[in-house]
Amino acid sequence: MSAELFAAATLAADSELPGAAWLTALASLPGAGPRRLQLLLAQRDPLAAWALVLAGGNRALCHELGSKGQQLLDSWARAAHQLDVGELWERSIQMGIGAVAVNSPAFPEQFRDDPEPPAVLFHRGNLDVLAGPRVAIIGTRKCTRYGYDIANEFARDLAVAGVAVVSGLALGIDAAAHHGAVGAGAAPPIAVVANGLDSVYPRSNRVLWEHVVQAGVVLSEAPLDTEPERWRFPARNRIIAALSDIVVVVESHARGGSLHTVAEAERRNVPVMAVPGPIHSAAAEGTNSLLRDGCAPACSVDDILLELGLVGGCRRSSSETRPLPNAISQQVLEAIGWQPATADQLLARACCSVAELASAVENLANTGWISNTDGWFERVGRPESLSPSNAESGYLG
């Protein structure tokens, strides 16, 4: 390591910020899209990646970034030296926005074998809601009343049956699905958006956004202050497909964006179903084509539940193998939430004694519910990720 890089790493370490803070800063660099973030985080944790950026990169990274690699590294270095990482992280915390990287133990297991997982996932709400069966309900923004009503009805009935509804919080079919899922007051809704979680897009969905946050979770791979650029919508669609056990297309025009989600679902072997529509309706042209090409029809919620493997609306048994925490341990686990926390923070949040906290933390760590890296405690999304290589890396997402 060069003297400049070593100094940058030492300066960063002195701030005592969690790994998620450096991850948020990396995602905020100009032009740091999903592929470039993957390159930055390959074989290095967020703190080491940030130190490398501060130092202007190295020859290997410059080569990996392509023909404009040096230009990009120079712009990153300038931006990094001007960015107050602590202030950015504090802003994220105040907004209730968490961040987790693909190589973090807290990263959702649904992306474990994904061919193109997000390098970083920002979230508002409760990541726990990703457990259990999930169905995406998607379709055109320019939907008909028929399509809106079907999406709303299917989402409501799926939620009542214990199935989490996934969609994109856009206008039209997305909004109808989320309204139905939220209104059911049952299984939590899941939204994936194409912009930073510090702003609402479209603005007309502001109240719906907050309802989804309160009842479930809103996800994005875009950092704060990110506008919904055109390329981010297809990128978002792959995340919707990856999160879903089944994708249901309610209405789609012949070249609608929903068909991109269908392609991403097929790439991941996720079943696709389509709602039949009137043959003279432009909004049903895409869905009817899917049916003609062999997609299973979704004529009722029962069709979806049958495809999902649910009988009588009963939820499938959980694949969770870790022993359930006792009352105090559960209290501490909830106090951690999905943000890295210190022992002092947990003591203030959990309303228990020091001895109870120490016992609960030890129990949760031994049973695979949390990890401890340099005094920062973090939820573990899947016990398999606590392999020796991850445990020894010193990484805290």
Side-chain angles (χ1 to χ4, degrees):
M1 178 183 290
S2 68
E4 183 179 6
L5 186 55
F6 179 78
T10 302
L11 177 64
D14 286 343
S15 71
E16 298 183 351
L17 290 171
W22 306 107
L23 184 63
T24 301
L26 287 167
S28 300
L29 294 171
R35 190 187 71 84
R36 289 167 177 169
L37 274 177
Q38 292 277 14
L39 293 175
L40 268 175
L41 292 169
Q43 308 302 321
R44 59 180 70 92
D45 62 39
L47 177 56
W50 185 255
L52 183 62
V53 167
L54 283 173
N58 57 28
R59 184 175 298 178
L61 181 59
C62 182
H63 176 73
E64 290 172 348
L65 290 171
S67 59
K68 296 184 178 180
Q70 191 57 58
Q71 180 181 342
L72 190 62
L73 287 172
D74 291 343
S75 70
W76 283 355
R78 288 192 298 270
H81 282 286
Q82 294 173 3
L83 182 63
D84 186 328
V85 180
E87 181 181 335
L88 179 65
W89 179 238
E90 181 62 30
R91 183 178 161 209
S92 295
I93 291 175
Q94 290 176 355
M95 292 183 174
I97 299 172
V100 61
V102 66
N103 52 355
S104 163
F107 201 74
E109 65 176 354
Q110 289 77 18
F111 297 102
R112 185 190 317 171
D113 300 318
D114 193 76
E116 194 180 354
V120 55
L121 201 59
F122 296 96
H123 53 89
R124 282 189 65 202
N126 185 4
L127 279 179
D128 283 338
V129 306
L130 298 183
R134 299 166 306 280
V135 169
I137 295 182
I138 62 172
T140 179
R141 290 173 172 81
K142 299 178 179 179
C143 65
T144 66
R145 184 69 205 190
Y146 163 81
Y148 187 98
D149 289 344
I150 290 294
N152 187 277
E153 174 190 330
F154 279 13
R156 180 196 66 217
D157 292 348
L158 285 170
V160 169
V163 179
V165 172
V166 185
S167 202
L169 263 179
L171 299 175
I173 296 299
D174 286 13
H178 282 307
H179 275 299
V182 168
I190 300 168
V192 186
V193 299
N195 56 291
L197 297 182
D198 55 327
S199 61
V200 173
Y201 178 85
R203 293 183 180 180
S204 58
N205 277 351
R206 179 174 298 279
V207 173
L208 181 59
W209 267 60
E210 292 305 319
H211 285 162
V212 173
V213 169
Q214 292 166 16
V217 68
V218 180
L219 305 170
S220 177
E221 63 180 337
L224 273 65
D225 301 318
T226 300
E227 295 296 322
E229 302 164 277
R230 183 180 294 273
W231 68 268
R232 291 190 180 275
F233 288 95
R236 173 206 64 177
N237 291 346
R238 85 185 195 284
I239 298 177
I240 291 176
L243 280 175
S244 304
D245 295 314
I246 294 175
V247 170
V248 178
V249 188
V250 176
E251 280 188 331
S252 173
H253 290 77
R255 297 184 178 181
S258 299
L259 300 183
H260 184 275
T261 309
V262 169
E264 293 292 346
E266 292 173 343
R267 181 184 175 195
R268 291 163 173 81
N269 295 318
V270 174
V272 177
M273 304 182 74
V275 175
I279 61 173
H280 296 300
S281 171
E285 191 171 349
T287 44
N288 287 340
S289 293
L290 290 173
L291 293 168
R292 181 193 62 207
D293 294 340
C295 281
C299 299
S300 69
V301 168
D302 287 342
D303 290 340
I304 303 171
L305 294 175
L306 183 63
E307 181 72 23
L308 195 59
L310 298 179
V311 179
C314 297
R315 296 188 66 160
R316 293 178 297 186
S317 60
S318 171
S319 60
E320 181 59 70
T321 58
R322 293 172 287 187
L324 294 176
N326 59 30
I328 295 295
S329 296
Q330 182 62 39
Q331 191 173 320
V332 172
L333 193 63
E334 292 173 358
I336 293 176
W338 287 97
Q339 295 277 22
T342 64
D344 288 342
Q345 290 171 333
L346 291 181
L347 193 60
R349 297 174 190 169
C351 299
C352 61
S353 68
V354 174
E356 288 175 327
L357 176 64
S359 176
V361 164
E362 181 180 9
N363 175 264
L364 291 170
N366 289 339
T367 53
W369 286 98
I370 66 173
S371 63
N372 179 3
T373 306
D374 298 329
W376 288 94
F377 298 96
E378 183 180 22
R379 294 274 293 260
V380 173
R382 55 183 187 271
E384 296 91 336
S385 62
L386 283 181
S387 61
S389 60
N390 283 334
E392 295 167 4
S393 69
Y395 171 66
L396 177 64

